[in-house]
mmCIF file of all heavy atoms in Angstrom:
data_model
loop_
_atom_site.group_PDB
_atom_site.id
_atom_site.type_symbol
_atom_site.label_atom_id
_atom_site.label_comp_id
_atom_site.label_asym_id
_atom_site.label_seq_id
_atom_site.Cartn_x
_atom_site.Cartn_y
_atom_site.Cartn_z
ATOM 1 N N SER Q 1 49.063 88.986 125.727
ATOM 2 C CA SER Q 1 49.217 89.031 124.267
ATOM 3 C C SER Q 1 48.962 87.707 123.564
ATOM 4 O O SER Q 1 49.047 87.643 122.329
ATOM 5 C CB SER Q 1 50.599 89.565 123.853
ATOM 6 O OG SER Q 1 50.735 90.935 124.221
ATOM 7 N N GLN Q 2 48.644 86.642 124.291
ATOM 8 C CA GLN Q 2 48.258 85.401 123.632
ATOM 9 C C GLN Q 2 46.920 85.589 122.919
ATOM 10 O O GLN Q 2 46.068 86.361 123.363
ATOM 11 C CB GLN Q 2 48.166 84.259 124.643
ATOM 12 C CG GLN Q 2 49.509 83.817 125.184
ATOM 13 C CD GLN Q 2 49.392 82.622 126.112
ATOM 14 O OE1 GLN Q 2 48.351 82.395 126.734
ATOM 15 N NE2 GLN Q 2 50.461 81.854 126.231
ATOM 16 N N LEU Q 3 46.739 84.865 121.816
ATOM 17 C CA LEU Q 3 45.577 85.064 120.961
ATOM 18 C C LEU Q 3 44.669 83.836 120.948
ATOM 19 O O LEU Q 3 45.133 82.708 120.798
ATOM 20 C CB LEU Q 3 46.026 85.372 119.532
ATOM 21 C CG LEU Q 3 46.877 86.639 119.368
ATOM 22 C CD1 LEU Q 3 47.332 86.789 117.928
ATOM 23 C CD2 LEU Q 3 46.112 87.874 119.821
ATOM 24 N N ILE Q 4 43.377 84.110 121.082
ATOM 25 C CA ILE Q 4 42.354 83.068 121.035
ATOM 26 C C ILE Q 4 41.400 83.412 119.903
ATOM 27 O O ILE Q 4 40.744 84.451 119.927
ATOM 28 C CB ILE Q 4 41.608 82.960 122.374
ATOM 29 C CG1 ILE Q 4 42.577 82.508 123.466
ATOM 30 C CG2 ILE Q 4 40.418 82.001 122.260
ATOM 31 C CD1 ILE Q 4 41.958 82.407 124.839
ATOM 32 N N LEU Q 5 41.343 82.546 118.919
ATOM 33 C CA LEU Q 5 40.487 82.763 117.756
ATOM 34 C C LEU Q 5 39.215 81.941 117.915
ATOM 35 O O LEU Q 5 39.270 80.735 118.166
ATOM 36 C CB LEU Q 5 41.217 82.342 116.482
ATOM 37 C CG LEU Q 5 40.526 82.674 115.160
ATOM 38 C CD1 LEU Q 5 40.450 84.173 114.945
ATOM 39 C CD2 LEU Q 5 41.241 81.991 113.992
ATOM 40 N N VAL Q 6 38.075 82.610 117.777
ATOM 41 C CA VAL Q 6 36.788 81.935 117.889
ATOM 42 C C VAL Q 6 36.150 81.905 116.496
ATOM 43 O O VAL Q 6 35.665 82.919 115.998
ATOM 44 C CB VAL Q 6 35.861 82.640 118.892
ATOM 45 C CG1 VAL Q 6 34.568 81.840 119.066
ATOM 46 C CG2 VAL Q 6 36.552 82.814 120.241
ATOM 47 N N ASP Q 7 36.238 80.752 115.856
ATOM 48 C CA ASP Q 7 35.768 80.502 114.497
ATOM 49 C C ASP Q 7 36.675 81.173 113.465
ATOM 50 O O ASP Q 7 37.373 82.155 113.751
ATOM 51 C CB ASP Q 7 34.315 80.932 114.300
ATOM 52 C CG ASP Q 7 33.341 80.061 115.088
ATOM 53 O OD1 ASP Q 7 33.534 78.838 115.108
ATOM 54 O OD2 ASP Q 7 32.397 80.608 115.697
ATOM 55 N N TYR Q 8 36.645 80.607 112.261
ATOM 56 C CA TYR Q 8 37.426 81.129 111.142
ATOM 57 C C TYR Q 8 36.587 80.951 109.893
ATOM 58 O O TYR Q 8 36.294 79.818 109.485
ATOM 59 C CB TYR Q 8 38.757 80.383 110.996
ATOM 60 C CG TYR Q 8 39.583 80.842 109.815
ATOM 61 C CD1 TYR Q 8 40.586 81.783 109.969
ATOM 62 C CD2 TYR Q 8 39.346 80.336 108.528
ATOM 63 C CE1 TYR Q 8 41.343 82.224 108.883
ATOM 64 C CE2 TYR Q 8 40.086 80.768 107.443
ATOM 65 C CZ TYR Q 8 41.088 81.712 107.617
ATOM 66 O OH TYR Q 8 41.822 82.142 106.532
ATOM 67 N N ALA Q 9 36.170 82.055 109.288
ATOM 68 C CA ALA Q 9 35.324 81.974 108.096
ATOM 69 C C ALA Q 9 35.805 82.990 107.071
ATOM 70 O O ALA Q 9 35.457 84.166 107.139
ATOM 71 C CB ALA Q 9 33.863 82.233 108.454
ATOM 72 N N ASN Q 10 36.629 82.540 106.157
ATOM 73 C CA ASN Q 10 37.150 83.411 105.110
ATOM 74 C C ASN Q 10 36.141 83.438 103.962
ATOM 75 O O ASN Q 10 36.238 82.682 102.995
ATOM 76 C CB ASN Q 10 38.504 82.910 104.615
ATOM 77 C CG ASN Q 10 39.120 83.838 103.586
ATOM 78 O OD1 ASN Q 10 38.773 85.017 103.508
ATOM 79 N ND2 ASN Q 10 40.034 83.307 102.790
ATOM 80 N N MET Q 11 35.165 84.325 104.053
ATOM 81 C CA MET Q 11 34.025 84.342 103.139
ATOM 82 C C MET Q 11 34.230 85.241 101.924
ATOM 83 O O MET Q 11 33.443 85.205 100.985
ATOM 84 C CB MET Q 11 32.767 84.800 103.888
ATOM 85 C CG MET Q 11 32.478 84.032 105.172
ATOM 86 S SD MET Q 11 32.262 82.263 104.917
ATOM 87 C CE MET Q 11 30.648 82.215 104.130
ATOM 88 N N ARG Q 12 35.270 86.046 101.910
ATOM 89 C CA ARG Q 12 35.438 87.036 100.847
ATOM 90 C C ARG Q 12 35.765 86.374 99.511
ATOM 91 O O ARG Q 12 36.565 85.443 99.429
ATOM 92 C CB ARG Q 12 36.548 88.013 101.214
ATOM 93 C CG ARG Q 12 36.690 89.186 100.246
ATOM 94 C CD ARG Q 12 37.684 90.207 100.760
ATOM 95 N NE ARG Q 12 37.714 91.377 99.906
ATOM 96 C CZ ARG Q 12 38.488 91.489 98.824
ATOM 97 N NH1 ARG Q 12 39.309 90.501 98.500
ATOM 98 N NH2 ARG Q 12 38.455 92.584 98.091
ATOM 99 N N ASP Q 13 35.153 86.880 98.455
ATOM 100 C CA ASP Q 13 35.435 86.459 97.095
ATOM 101 C C ASP Q 13 36.567 87.332 96.564
ATOM 102 O O ASP Q 13 36.359 88.506 96.234
ATOM 103 C CB ASP Q 13 34.191 86.601 96.221
ATOM 104 C CG ASP Q 13 34.418 86.160 94.782
ATOM 105 O OD1 ASP Q 13 35.572 85.800 94.436
ATOM 106 O OD2 ASP Q 13 33.453 86.183 93.989
ATOM 107 N N ALA Q 14 37.754 86.768 96.483
ATOM 108 C CA ALA Q 14 38.930 87.549 96.086
ATOM 109 C C ALA Q 14 38.821 88.073 94.658
ATOM 110 O O ALA Q 14 39.529 89.029 94.281
ATOM 111 C CB ALA Q 14 40.184 86.699 96.235
ATOM 112 N N ASN Q 15 37.962 87.479 93.851
ATOM 113 C CA ASN Q 15 37.803 87.902 92.460
ATOM 114 C C ASN Q 15 36.756 88.997 92.290
ATOM 115 O O ASN Q 15 36.541 89.481 91.178
ATOM 116 C CB ASN Q 15 37.423 86.700 91.590
ATOM 117 C CG ASN Q 15 38.512 85.649 91.573
ATOM 118 O OD1 ASN Q 15 39.691 85.970 91.467
ATOM 119 N ND2 ASN Q 15 38.121 84.385 91.714
ATOM 120 N N ASN Q 16 36.097 89.369 93.375
ATOM 121 C CA ASN Q 16 35.053 90.388 93.325
ATOM 122 C C ASN Q 16 35.529 91.638 94.052
ATOM 123 O O ASN Q 16 35.571 91.673 95.287
ATOM 124 C CB ASN Q 16 33.768 89.852 93.955
ATOM 125 C CG ASN Q 16 32.628 90.854 93.907
ATOM 126 O OD1 ASN Q 16 32.769 91.972 93.401
ATOM 127 N ND2 ASN Q 16 31.486 90.463 94.452
ATOM 128 N N GLN Q 17 35.882 92.656 93.295
ATOM 129 C CA GLN Q 17 36.408 93.880 93.884
ATOM 130 C C GLN Q 17 35.376 94.624 94.730
ATOM 131 O O GLN Q 17 35.716 95.481 95.535
ATOM 132 C CB GLN Q 17 36.930 94.804 92.776
ATOM 133 C CG GLN Q 17 38.111 94.235 92.007
ATOM 134 C CD GLN Q 17 39.317 93.991 92.899
ATOM 135 O OE1 GLN Q 17 39.674 94.832 93.717
ATOM 136 N NE2 GLN Q 17 39.939 92.826 92.757
ATOM 137 N N ASN Q 18 34.108 94.300 94.530
ATOM 138 C CA ASN Q 18 33.038 94.961 95.280
ATOM 139 C C ASN Q 18 32.661 94.220 96.559
ATOM 140 O O ASN Q 18 31.759 94.665 97.274
ATOM 141 C CB ASN Q 18 31.803 95.114 94.394
ATOM 142 C CG ASN Q 18 32.050 96.039 93.217
ATOM 143 O OD1 ASN Q 18 32.698 97.074 93.362
ATOM 144 N ND2 ASN Q 18 31.562 95.651 92.044
ATOM 145 N N ASP Q 19 33.330 93.121 96.833
ATOM 146 C CA ASP Q 19 33.027 92.355 98.041
ATOM 147 C C ASP Q 19 33.534 93.128 99.255
ATOM 148 O O ASP Q 19 34.737 93.400 99.373
ATOM 149 C CB ASP Q 19 33.693 90.976 97.968
ATOM 150 C CG ASP Q 19 33.153 90.001 99.001
ATOM 151 O OD1 ASP Q 19 32.706 90.455 100.070
ATOM 152 O OD2 ASP Q 19 33.177 88.782 98.742
ATOM 153 N N LYS Q 20 32.632 93.485 100.164
ATOM 154 C CA LYS Q 20 32.970 94.311 101.325
ATOM 155 C C LYS Q 20 33.546 93.502 102.486
ATOM 156 O O LYS Q 20 34.025 94.071 103.467
ATOM 157 C CB LYS Q 20 31.734 95.066 101.812
ATOM 158 C CG LYS Q 20 31.062 95.937 100.750
ATOM 159 C CD LYS Q 20 31.969 97.026 100.241
ATOM 160 C CE LYS Q 20 31.238 97.909 99.230
ATOM 161 N NZ LYS Q 20 32.124 98.933 98.653
ATOM 162 N N ARG Q 21 33.458 92.184 102.397
ATOM 163 C CA ARG Q 21 33.979 91.349 103.477
ATOM 164 C C ARG Q 21 35.507 91.439 103.508
ATOM 165 O O ARG Q 21 36.153 91.566 102.479
ATOM 166 C CB ARG Q 21 33.501 89.914 103.306
ATOM 167 C CG ARG Q 21 31.995 89.770 103.462
ATOM 168 C CD ARG Q 21 31.473 88.411 103.065
ATOM 169 N NE ARG Q 21 31.611 88.163 101.619
ATOM 170 C CZ ARG Q 21 31.064 87.139 100.991
ATOM 171 N NH1 ARG Q 21 30.344 86.263 101.664
ATOM 172 N NH2 ARG Q 21 31.239 86.986 99.692
ATOM 173 N N CYS Q 22 36.078 91.356 104.704
ATOM 174 C CA CYS Q 22 37.508 91.598 104.851
ATOM 175 C C CYS Q 22 38.345 90.428 104.329
ATOM 176 O O CYS Q 22 37.863 89.301 104.175
ATOM 177 C CB CYS Q 22 37.860 91.877 106.310
ATOM 178 S SG CYS Q 22 37.797 90.426 107.387
ATOM 179 N N ASP Q 23 39.598 90.732 104.077
ATOM 180 C CA ASP Q 23 40.588 89.708 103.715
ATOM 181 C C ASP Q 23 41.053 89.083 105.037
ATOM 182 O O ASP Q 23 42.005 89.553 105.659
ATOM 183 C CB ASP Q 23 41.748 90.358 102.963
ATOM 184 C CG ASP Q 23 42.794 89.357 102.488
ATOM 185 O OD1 ASP Q 23 42.864 88.252 103.062
ATOM 186 O OD2 ASP Q 23 43.541 89.689 101.555
ATOM 187 N N LEU Q 24 40.359 88.051 105.469
ATOM 188 C CA LEU Q 24 40.580 87.505 106.809
ATOM 189 C C LEU Q 24 41.999 86.979 107.024
ATOM 190 O O LEU Q 24 42.607 87.283 108.061
ATOM 191 C CB LEU Q 24 39.544 86.423 107.116
ATOM 192 C CG LEU Q 24 39.584 85.861 108.529
ATOM 193 C CD1 LEU Q 24 39.312 86.944 109.563
ATOM 194 C CD2 LEU Q 24 38.575 84.715 108.680
ATOM 195 N N PRO Q 25 42.580 86.195 106.100
ATOM 196 C CA PRO Q 25 43.956 85.732 106.334
ATOM 197 C C PRO Q 25 44.936 86.881 106.544
ATOM 198 O O PRO Q 25 45.786 86.824 107.442
ATOM 199 C CB PRO Q 25 44.279 84.939 105.063
ATOM 200 C CG PRO Q 25 42.959 84.504 104.539
ATOM 201 C CD PRO Q 25 42.017 85.626 104.865
ATOM 202 N N LEU Q 26 44.807 87.936 105.743
ATOM 203 C CA LEU Q 26 45.697 89.082 105.886
ATOM 204 C C LEU Q 26 45.495 89.774 107.228
ATOM 205 O O LEU Q 26 46.468 90.116 107.916
ATOM 206 C CB LEU Q 26 45.455 90.071 104.745
ATOM 207 C CG LEU Q 26 46.263 91.373 104.794
ATOM 208 C CD1 LEU Q 26 47.759 91.085 104.753
ATOM 209 C CD2 LEU Q 26 45.861 92.295 103.651
ATOM 210 N N GLU Q 27 44.236 89.974 107.604
ATOM 211 C CA GLU Q 27 43.963 90.645 108.869
ATOM 212 C C GLU Q 27 44.516 89.854 110.058
ATOM 213 O O GLU Q 27 45.074 90.427 110.998
ATOM 214 C CB GLU Q 27 42.455 90.873 109.043
ATOM 215 C CG GLU Q 27 41.821 91.803 108.027
ATOM 216 C CD GLU Q 27 42.337 93.229 108.103
ATOM 217 O OE1 GLU Q 27 42.983 93.590 109.097
ATOM 218 O OE2 GLU Q 27 42.086 93.987 107.147
ATOM 219 N N LEU Q 28 44.363 88.539 110.018
ATOM 220 C CA LEU Q 28 44.852 87.719 111.132
ATOM 221 C C LEU Q 28 46.375 87.677 111.173
ATOM 222 O O LEU Q 28 46.978 87.694 112.257
ATOM 223 C CB LEU Q 28 44.278 86.311 111.037
ATOM 224 C CG LEU Q 28 42.788 86.193 111.362
ATOM 225 C CD1 LEU Q 28 42.306 84.757 111.177
ATOM 226 C CD2 LEU Q 28 42.487 86.656 112.785
ATOM 227 N N LYS Q 29 47.011 87.640 110.024
ATOM 228 C CA LYS Q 29 48.478 87.678 109.999
ATOM 229 C C LYS Q 29 48.984 88.992 110.573
ATOM 230 O O LYS Q 29 49.987 89.031 111.289
ATOM 231 C CB LYS Q 29 48.980 87.476 108.572
ATOM 232 C CG LYS Q 29 48.828 86.051 108.070
ATOM 233 C CD LYS Q 29 49.269 85.917 106.623
ATOM 234 C CE LYS Q 29 49.059 84.486 106.124
ATOM 235 N NZ LYS Q 29 49.432 84.350 104.691
ATOM 236 N N ASN Q 30 48.275 90.076 110.258
ATOM 237 C CA ASN Q 30 48.659 91.370 110.820
ATOM 238 C C ASN Q 30 48.475 91.404 112.333
ATOM 239 O O ASN Q 30 49.287 92.008 113.059
ATOM 240 C CB ASN Q 30 47.851 92.483 110.167
ATOM 241 C CG ASN Q 30 48.266 92.753 108.733
ATOM 242 O OD1 ASN Q 30 49.369 92.398 108.323
ATOM 243 N ND2 ASN Q 30 47.384 93.371 107.956
ATOM 244 N N LYS Q 31 47.409 90.761 112.817
ATOM 245 C CA LYS Q 31 47.182 90.700 114.266
ATOM 246 C C LYS Q 31 48.266 89.874 114.957
ATOM 247 O O LYS Q 31 48.750 90.239 116.039
ATOM 248 C CB LYS Q 31 45.801 90.106 114.557
ATOM 249 C CG LYS Q 31 44.634 91.020 114.214
ATOM 250 C CD LYS Q 31 44.568 92.226 115.137
ATOM 251 C CE LYS Q 31 43.322 93.052 114.877
ATOM 252 N NZ LYS Q 31 43.274 94.265 115.729
ATOM 253 N N LEU Q 32 48.640 88.762 114.351
ATOM 254 C CA LEU Q 32 49.724 87.950 114.908
ATOM 255 C C LEU Q 32 51.009 88.771 115.014
ATOM 256 O O LEU Q 32 51.703 88.748 116.038
ATOM 257 C CB LEU Q 32 49.949 86.712 114.052
ATOM 258 C CG LEU Q 32 48.914 85.591 114.166
ATOM 259 C CD1 LEU Q 32 48.999 84.653 112.971
ATOM 260 C CD2 LEU Q 32 49.103 84.796 115.461
ATOM 261 N N ALA Q 33 51.320 89.499 113.941
ATOM 262 C CA ALA Q 33 52.541 90.305 113.939
ATOM 263 C C ALA Q 33 52.456 91.432 114.970
ATOM 264 O O ALA Q 33 53.428 91.690 115.697
ATOM 265 C CB ALA Q 33 52.772 90.874 112.544
ATOM 266 N N LYS Q 34 51.310 92.089 115.050
ATOM 267 C CA LYS Q 34 51.139 93.201 115.989
ATOM 268 C C LYS Q 34 51.382 92.756 117.419
ATOM 269 O O LYS Q 34 52.016 93.481 118.207
ATOM 270 C CB LYS Q 34 49.734 93.787 115.849
ATOM 271 C CG LYS Q 34 49.411 94.868 116.870
ATOM 272 C CD LYS Q 34 47.975 95.359 116.744
ATOM 273 C CE LYS Q 34 47.642 96.383 117.823
ATOM 274 N NZ LYS Q 34 46.240 96.866 117.713
ATOM 275 N N HIS Q 35 50.887 91.570 117.765
ATOM 276 C CA HIS Q 35 51.001 91.090 119.138
ATOM 277 C C HIS Q 35 52.206 90.170 119.336
ATOM 278 O O HIS Q 35 52.343 89.531 120.385
ATOM 279 C CB HIS Q 35 49.712 90.373 119.537
ATOM 280 C CG HIS Q 35 48.519 91.284 119.554
ATOM 281 N ND1 HIS Q 35 48.352 92.268 120.499
ATOM 282 C CD2 HIS Q 35 47.446 91.369 118.722
ATOM 283 C CE1 HIS Q 35 47.225 92.918 120.261
ATOM 284 N NE2 HIS Q 35 46.657 92.401 119.195
ATOM 285 N N LYS Q 36 53.068 90.095 118.319
ATOM 286 C CA LYS Q 36 54.323 89.338 118.384
ATOM 287 C C LYS Q 36 54.077 87.873 118.737
ATOM 288 O O LYS Q 36 54.764 87.291 119.585
ATOM 289 C CB LYS Q 36 55.280 89.998 119.384
ATOM 290 C CG LYS Q 36 55.646 91.426 119.007
ATOM 291 C CD LYS Q 36 56.601 92.057 120.024
ATOM 292 C CE LYS Q 36 56.927 93.494 119.616
ATOM 293 N NZ LYS Q 36 57.851 94.149 120.591
ATOM 294 N N GLN Q 37 53.081 87.297 118.063
ATOM 295 C CA GLN Q 37 52.733 85.893 118.267
ATOM 296 C C GLN Q 37 52.935 85.135 116.955
ATOM 297 O O GLN Q 37 52.551 85.621 115.884
ATOM 298 C CB GLN Q 37 51.283 85.761 118.712
ATOM 299 C CG GLN Q 37 50.948 86.465 120.009
ATOM 300 C CD GLN Q 37 51.635 85.858 121.213
ATOM 301 O OE1 GLN Q 37 51.496 84.662 121.484
ATOM 302 N NE2 GLN Q 37 52.382 86.664 121.952
ATOM 303 N N ALA Q 38 53.514 83.956 117.047
ATOM 304 C CA ALA Q 38 53.674 83.118 115.854
ATOM 305 C C ALA Q 38 52.459 82.226 115.656
ATOM 306 O O ALA Q 38 52.114 81.875 114.513
ATOM 307 C CB ALA Q 38 54.937 82.264 115.970
ATOM 308 N N ASP Q 39 51.803 81.863 116.779
ATOM 309 C CA ASP Q 39 50.720 80.896 116.739
ATOM 310 C C ASP Q 39 49.542 81.382 117.581
ATOM 311 O O ASP Q 39 49.646 82.351 118.348
ATOM 312 C CB ASP Q 39 51.200 79.540 117.275
ATOM 313 C CG ASP Q 39 52.464 79.050 116.587
ATOM 314 O OD1 ASP Q 39 52.472 79.061 115.346
ATOM 315 O OD2 ASP Q 39 53.424 78.683 117.294
#
């Protein structure tokens, strides 16, 4: 359950509702919580 992140690119424009790129910080926080990892 340890996590290894390869690159970090938060490319989404939060002000553009049509931007299809994911909310990377939110997704990664959810992954940390799912796998019970703080870091």
Side-chain angles (χ1 to χ4, degrees):
S1 294
Q2 290 184 334
L3 299 176
I4 295 178
L5 188 66
V6 185
D7 292 318
Y8 178 96
N10 184 21
M11 308 301 287
R12 187 173 186 273
D13 181 356
N15 297 317
N16 181 0
Q17 296 299 315
N18 295 319
D19 194 332
K20 304 298 183 183
R21 294 170 293 190
C22 73
D23 183 338
L24 185 61
L26 177 60
E27 296 296 346
L28 288 178
K29 287 177 182 178
N30 288 340
K31 289 291 186 183
L32 286 162
K34 175 183 177 180
H35 296 290
K36 299 180 181 180
Q37 300 293 304
D39 307 310

